[in-house]
Amino acid sequence: MIRVLEVEDYRFLEFGDAIEQSCVFTADPSWLEYDYTRAMLIGALCHEQPESALFLGLGAGTLTQACLKFLPLEDVEAIELRPDVPRLAMEFLGLDDDPRLYIRTGDALELLPTAEPADLIFVDLYTDHGPGVGHLAWRFLEDCQKRLNPGGWLVINQWAGDDGKPLGAALLRGLYHRHYWELPVTEGNVILIVPADLEQDLDLERLKDRAEALMPRLGYSLQALIAQLRPAS
C-alpha cells in the first residue's frame, strides 16, 4: 500500500503499515525536513560543479527538488521501483515537471547499467520492510561507484546498527577500501559519501564554504551536520 497523508503544513508518503518514507513541507517542496536528506545534500556539495545526477529511489522527490533548485544540474535521472510513486509525487507532493528531470520506473539493480554516467549518484532504496537488497549487494554498489564521472560522488542512505556503524560495514570497508566518509544522523541512518576513486579526497574547508554560501537560500545551516562527518569506521 502507498498513501499520502496530510498533517497541517506537511504531507507524508507512506509505504505498507504506516512506514513513513518522505515528508514534504507543502509551502516549499524543496525544503529538506529530515536530517538524513540534508546529510545527502551535503554529499552533493562535495562536488564543486555537478552537472548530472542519478537518483536510485525517488520517494516524494524532496532531495531531487532541492538538488535541482540549489545545484547547477543540467541532466537528472531518477529510477523508482513503484510506478505510483512518481505520479503521487507530482499530483500531491509538489514534485515539479522539470525538463531537466527524467524519471524511469523499474528495479534500480536492473536498470543501473542503462543509466547515463553522472557526477552525483544517490542510493536510497527503501521498502516498508527496510533497506532494499541493493544496500548490501557488492556488485551493485561497486557498479554505482563505477557509474560516476571522474571527480564524482556516490551518496548512500544506509541504515545504522546499534553500534552506530552502517549496515554491512565490513562489506563497505572492503568494497571501497576504507576510502569514504560517514555522516550519522538523528533518524538512525548513516549517510555514506564515496568518491569516484582512491585518488579523490574530500576538501572539508571548501565543503564548509559551499554550505555557508548556500545557507541564505536553504533557510537552514548545514554546519552542525558537517561537523559530524568522520572517515570510514
Side-chain angles (χ1 to χ4, degrees):
M1 181 183 292
I2 304 171
R3 57 189 164 194
V4 176
L5 301 180
E6 185 172 63
V7 181
E8 296 181 348
D9 296 330
Y10 294 88
R11 289 183 180 176
F12 299 88
L13 180 67
E14 293 187 349
F15 294 164
D17 189 18
I19 304 300
E20 186 179 313
Q21 294 289 334
S22 303
C23 174
V24 177
F25 180 46
T26 52
D28 180 7
S30 67
W31 175 271
L32 299 179
E33 186 71 20
Y34 296 142
D35 275 354
Y36 87 84
T37 52
R38 296 184 182 190
M40 295 183 82
L41 180 62
I42 288 169
L45 293 178
C46 292
H47 198 297
E48 191 165 4
Q49 200 73 10
E51 296 181 358
S52 55
L54 171 63
F55 290 83
L56 303 178
L58 176 69
T62 52
L63 179 62
T64 305
Q65 296 241 113
C67 289
L68 284 165
K69 182 175 181 178
F70 300 117
L71 303 178
L73 294 170
E74 298 176 359
D75 183 23
V76 176
E77 182 178 358
I79 298 175
E80 170 57 48
L81 180 64
R82 308 158 191 81
D84 285 334
V85 167
R87 178 182 62 79
L88 291 171
M90 289 184 177
E91 189 171 350
F92 298 109
L93 300 168
L95 180 63
D96 285 337
D97 187 14
D98 192 301
R100 295 171 293 168
L101 175 61
Y102 172 53
I103 300 174
R104 289 195 290 164
T105 56
D107 189 331
L109 279 73
E110 296 176 2
L111 294 180
L112 178 64
T114 64
E116 291 293 322
D119 296 325
L120 299 170
I121 297 178
F122 301 89
V123 178
D124 192 8
L125 302 171
Y126 281 78
T127 71
D128 53 332
H129 301 295
V133 295
H135 284 259
L136 285 175
W138 177 291
R139 180 61 61 84
F140 172 70
L141 293 172
E142 181 180 46
D143 288 345
C144 285
Q145 186 184 36
K146 289 179 178 179
R147 213 75 191 154
L148 290 168
N149 288 326
W153 292 89
L154 170 63
V155 183
I156 305 171
N157 176 24
Q158 198 79 338
W159 259 12
D162 294 336
D163 58 1
K165 294 182 179 180
L167 185 71
L171 177 150
L172 295 163
R173 289 195 299 266
L175 174 59
Y176 298 130
H177 307 284
R178 293 182 181 265
H179 188 62
Y180 60 92
W181 288 261
E182 300 175 351
L183 206 173
V185 295
T186 54
E187 291 93 0
N189 302 38
V190 177
I191 304 307
L192 308 181
I193 302 174
V194 185
D197 60 58
L198 293 172
E199 303 302 315
Q200 185 178 324
D201 214 340
L202 190 156
D203 189 327
L204 187 58
E205 292 309 311
R206 295 187 76 173
L207 173 61
K208 290 178 179 178
D209 289 345
R210 283 194 283 274
E212 190 68 22
L214 197 56
M215 184 177 69
R217 295 179 61 203
L218 287 174
Y220 48 83
S221 175
L222 296 172
Q223 299 299 344
L225 280 171
I226 291 174
Q228 300 301 312
L229 269 170
R230 66 194 187 200
S233 60

